[in-house]
Amino acid sequence: MNVTDYGWLILLFPLVGSVLIGLTSSKLPGKAAGVIGTAAIGLAFLATLGAFFQLQDKPEEARQITGVLYDYAKTVGVDAEMSILVDPLSILMCLVVTGVSTLIHLYSTAYMWSDKGYARFFAYLNFFVFSMLLLVLAGNFMILVVGWAFVGAASYLLISFWYRRTTATTAGVKAFVINVVGDVGLVLGTYFIFKHTGTLDFLKTFKEAEEVGRTANGDLTAGLILLLVGAFAKSAQIPFHTWLPDAMEGPTPVSSLIHAATMVTAGVYLIARMHPLFEQAPAAADVAAITGAITLLVAGTIGLVVTDLKRVIAYSTMSQIGYMIMAVGGGAYVAGLFHLMTHAFFKALLFMAAGSVIGAMAGNQDLDKMGGFRKAMPFTFGCFVIGGLALAGIPPFSGFFSKDEILLIIGDRGGWYIALYVAGYVGALLTAIYTWRMIFRAFFGEACPEAKELEGGHLHHAHVHTNPANGEVEDTEVGFPGSEHHIAERSVPMKVAMGCLAVLAVIGGFIQIPKVNHWLDDFLHPTFEDSAIEQLSKNDSLLYFGLALGTVLGLVGIAIAYRLWVQSPEIPAKIQARFPFLHRLFVNKWYFDELIDLVIVRPFGWIGRFAQQTFERIVVGAALIGGPSGLVKAGSAAVRALQSGFLRAYAALLFAGVAATVFYFLVQS
């Protein structure tokens, strides 16, 4: 098989898995849906490995290969094809997506065991992975838009998976609507680009990039900023980020999949893929870099005060994606993708570990009610610590190498990029503090009742099942979480999945050590060889300073968290009392939801009500439709009145008509 054959297989396996589970779920024995779903993604991972090795056997100049299944439309200058682009960038993304997704599927086979929607869950999960793979393998804008929309639809299905929870359905709708706004931006941006290149194909578009940048820079900049709307919505960047914490209403494996392998990384991929265009419109690239820097800081401040375990990790994702967006916007393409890869390892691990803790809490996610799980859940605790060290950027864990490479290259550019460089290290300190705040509160201190019960050998199960978001009483039928809860200490699939990710979180950074090895740079070189921005920093003093500073800030952040939430837990309350405004600002998530409600939701709601109740009823219904229909009704009533059935009436009417005709001709003569 050739490279593109493997590419089609990568797409085929999860699609077949989704369809097969969906069509045969009622006939599948036991929990076979989980086995089929996991096997489908595992086979996609193997196919990706096949494509990887095939690609490596080719010379560098031949490592961008387009495979066309059929022509969708070739007319009036539109070259819409069912095509995929297999190159180092798409293969790297496929390796991350399929590899991490396979482990998430394995974890899910145990975590979702008692859920009545078990088969439906794996059908949706396979479809989600297929959609993301379609997005990253797309060879043209048409397929990109389709994959982009599919990812949004799949996220809605999975965030709202427990559809009898009103909080879950509301969160799903919110995510879907915000992502549709992004879809509109992506489509409009595609039009601006297509207008001047005359092609939808990526490689052909990139060949025209320099010419378009010279002759239509305004349109190109506008088109790329519209593409950024799509990227920011999908990757939860300000101001399109508000759906991300609410997406925690979905099952924990869904949170892991969205944050580690699918969806939020799509915006990073899009900017990296479109780098030839962004380099011709630097203003648009600067918008991306600045937005990423702002996002990582805002998310970091919110993470300091959030008490929902999964939402702390969600804001962490928003912050780390900010680093990646800043990187690819600032020309550090390989560094941004390197962080995307390492982040997938430790973020999936953190969500899985959080799911294990939530299982021990019988579904409760409130950090205020947790504590002392360190002895009761040693394996989960160890995985949390590894993930936390990687996220905080402590050497030699993977996040240390990838985060600091981003900041090294950004700082090396000098000028106003120094502001982004400083923001990145401020964000690193915040990351270490809120990450270890979460760990210390969940695993240290006095053991909570659930931890004591687990230490005694019994896993806590609530007598009454409630929604952790609002406390509403729930049952365990279809559309609600299952009756059982599972923890890694008692589940082999969960332990295997988390163990693999823990190993990757430790060693994943060694593939790209500054000044030591550049395997990832070498692998991605064919994709980014046309870049005019130098990828590798040559400033050794900045390198050593940055690595030392990142390590110190990570350790200082951990020390601050230990001091505040272990040694002197009364201090946070004093800080809150001293700075009430900042606390309210962070707790209310910088009032973005309220601002969007005031500026967008309410005005458009008023316009919609006016259109429906006033304009539609009076102008459209009464005047435009009711007026002509009233005239027709009146005319038909008059005609019916004339149809009396009497011969003398018809004769009189005939006589009157003849007389009128004669009179008309007499007047005309």
Side-chain angles (χ1 to χ4, degrees), residues 7-8 10-12 14-15 69 81-85 90 93-94 97-98 126-151 202 262 266 269 273:
W8 293 115
I10 294 170
L11 293 174
L12 181 64
L15 179 60
L69 194 61
E81 300 172 326
M82 183 61 185
S83 66
I84 58 174
L85 173 59
S90 61
M93 292 297 298
C94 286
V97 172
T98 58
N126 268 216
F127 177 64
F128 201 0
V129 177
F130 161 75
S131 302
M132 186 66 186
L133 292 172
L134 182 65
L135 188 158
V136 300
L137 281 169
N140 59 64
F141 283 100
M142 183 192 75
I143 303 302
L144 175 70
V145 169
V146 172
W148 205 267
F150 278 3
V151 167
F202 286 160
T262 60
Y269 163 78
R273 174 60 78 195

Side-chain angles (χ1 to χ4, degrees), residues 178 313 596:
I178 292 176
I313 307 175
I596 292 172

Side-chain angles (χ1 to χ4, degrees), residues 152 155-156 170-184 233 240 243 600-601:
S155 69
Y156 166 75
T170 301
V173 170
K174 184 177 183 179
F176 184 76
V177 169
I178 292 176
N179 275 276
V180 166
V181 173
D183 295 348
V184 172
F240 302 100
W243 66 267
I600 297 176
V601 176

Side-chain angles (χ1 to χ4, degrees), residues 197-347:
T197 61
T199 180
L200 294 173
D201 183 82
F202 286 160
L203 297 182
K204 294 177 182 176
T205 297
F206 300 155
K207 288 180 181 179
E208 300 293 327
E210 188 174 349
E211 177 66 21
V212 174
R214 185 172 59 255
T215 60
N217 191 266
D219 274 5
L220 180 61
T221 301
L224 291 176
I225 288 177
L226 286 167
L227 290 189
L228 288 179
V229 171
F232 293 166
K234 198 70 77 186
S235 293
Q237 299 295 284
I238 286 175
F240 302 100
H241 66 285
T242 56
W243 66 267
L244 189 66
D246 292 352
M248 298 303 97
E249 290 295 325
T252 298
V254 173
S255 303
S256 184
L257 193 64
I258 288 175
H259 290 250
T262 60
M263 193 150 179
V264 295
T265 58
V268 181
Y269 163 78
L270 178 65
I271 299 172
R273 174 60 78 195
M274 299 297 152
H275 74 274
L277 299 175
F278 277 100
E279 291 192 7
Q280 298 301 319
D286 292 345
V287 169
I290 293 169
T291 302
I294 294 173
T295 301
L296 74 88
L297 291 176
V298 170
T301 59
I302 299 173
L304 293 173
V305 297
V306 174
T307 57
D308 184 296
L309 178 61
K310 284 173 63 176
R311 280 173 169 77
V312 176
I313 307 175
Y315 280 109
S316 164
T317 297
M318 178 179 158
S319 180
Q320 297 305 304
I321 296 294
Y323 277 104
M324 300 174 210
I325 294 289
M326 181 176 73
V328 293
Y333 308 118
V334 175
L337 294 166
F338 182 28
H339 197 52
L340 183 152
M341 181 192 74
T342 61
H343 175 264
F345 300 152
F346 60 73
K347 189 51 59 70

Side-chain angles (χ1 to χ4, degrees), residues 479-503:
F480 285 120
S483 57
E484 298 177 11
H485 299 282
H486 302 275
I487 62 175
E489 278 71 10
R490 299 186 178 186
S491 172
V492 173
M494 292 173 67
K495 185 173 289 187
V496 170
M498 290 167 63
C500 291
L501 287 168
V503 172

Side-chain angles (χ1 to χ4, degrees), residues 33-199:
V35 176
I36 294 173
T38 306
I41 307 304
L43 289 171
F45 177 67
L46 293 177
T48 305
L49 288 177
F52 169 78
F53 289 120
Q54 285 267 5
L55 204 63
Q56 289 294 87
D57 288 339
K58 296 182 178 296
E60 279 200 2
E61 64 275 9
R63 291 184 187 173
Q64 288 185 306
I65 306 164
T66 300
V68 180
L69 194 61
Y70 64 88
D71 292 339
Y72 180 78
K74 274 204 170 185
T75 181
V76 199
V78 177
D79 56 346
E81 300 172 326
M82 183 61 185
S83 66
I84 58 174
L85 173 59
V86 181
D87 73 336
L89 175 57
S90 61
I91 290 301
L92 174 68
M93 292 297 298
C94 286
L95 284 170
V96 173
V97 172
T98 58
V100 175
S101 295
T102 300
L103 296 175
I104 293 172
H105 276 69
L106 177 63
Y107 176 93
S108 302
T109 58
Y111 191 86
M112 300 295 292
W113 185 261
S114 68
D115 200 287
K116 299 294 179 64
Y118 188 84
R120 177 169 58 92
F121 178 81
F122 280 96
Y124 290 170
L125 214 61
N126 268 216
F127 177 64
F128 201 0
V129 177
F130 161 75
S131 302
M132 186 66 186
L133 292 172
L134 182 65
L135 188 158
V136 300
L137 281 169
N140 59 64
F141 283 100
M142 183 192 75
I143 303 302
L144 175 70
V145 169
V146 172
W148 205 267
F150 278 3
V151 167
S155 69
Y156 166 75
L157 294 173
L158 285 166
I159 294 169
S160 302
F161 179 76
W162 288 323
Y163 56 86
R164 293 177 67 187
R165 276 185 172 176
T166 54
T167 53
T169 53
T170 301
V173 170
K174 184 177 183 179
F176 184 76
V177 169
I178 292 176
N179 275 276
V180 166
V181 173
D183 295 348
V184 172
L186 182 68
V187 172
L188 292 177
T190 296
Y191 167 74
F192 273 92
I193 295 168
F194 172 75
K195 174 183 174 183
H196 294 284
T197 61
T199 180

